[in-house]
Amino acid sequence: MGNARERKRMYEKETGEIQNRIDAFDRALEQAPNLDTKMEYMQTINSLRELLIIKFEGLAIASDEIINELEEELK
């Protein structure tokens, strides 16, 4: 279970870091000087959102593994 817990903590940390980057690009998007820069920032935000989804899936899998291991211990 230790490995699943470590992965869960890692995914939680990574999702927080990715969300902070999304927020930073979102703020920068509001102040972008031209359309090309805005488009670049929007593409970056979309890529980060896709990465965030992958990390959430990993977090869900790690959480499920922890639950399954705890259920096994109770049997």
Side-chain angles (χ1 to χ4, degrees):
M1 182 172 9
N3 190 27
R5 287 180 189 236
E6 288 173 25
R7 285 197 333 270
K8 182 178 179 286
R9 278 192 289 274
M10 178 193 68
Y11 285 125
E12 289 171 336
K13 180 181 179 225
E14 289 176 353
T15 56
E17 291 170 354
I18 294 168
Q19 187 59 54
N20 287 339
R21 290 180 65 198
I22 290 171
D23 293 343
F25 272 102
D26 198 33
R27 286 189 300 275
L29 179 64
E30 294 173 4
Q31 300 173 6
N34 57 53
L35 185 58
D36 288 338
T37 304
K38 288 181 186 220
M39 292 298 292
E40 183 180 329
Y41 288 172
M42 289 183 343
Q43 289 173 344
T44 301
I45 290 169
N46 285 336
S47 296
L48 288 169
R49 286 180 177 158
E50 290 171 2
L51 181 59
L52 193 58
I53 290 168
I54 293 167
K55 296 299 179 178
F56 275 128
E57 289 171 351
L59 179 59
I61 291 168
S63 297
D64 284 346
E65 288 177 10
I66 292 169
I67 291 168
N68 290 340
E69 290 174 4
L70 289 171
E71 287 175 344
E72 286 295 318
E73 287 178 11
L74 291 175
K75 290 182 180 179

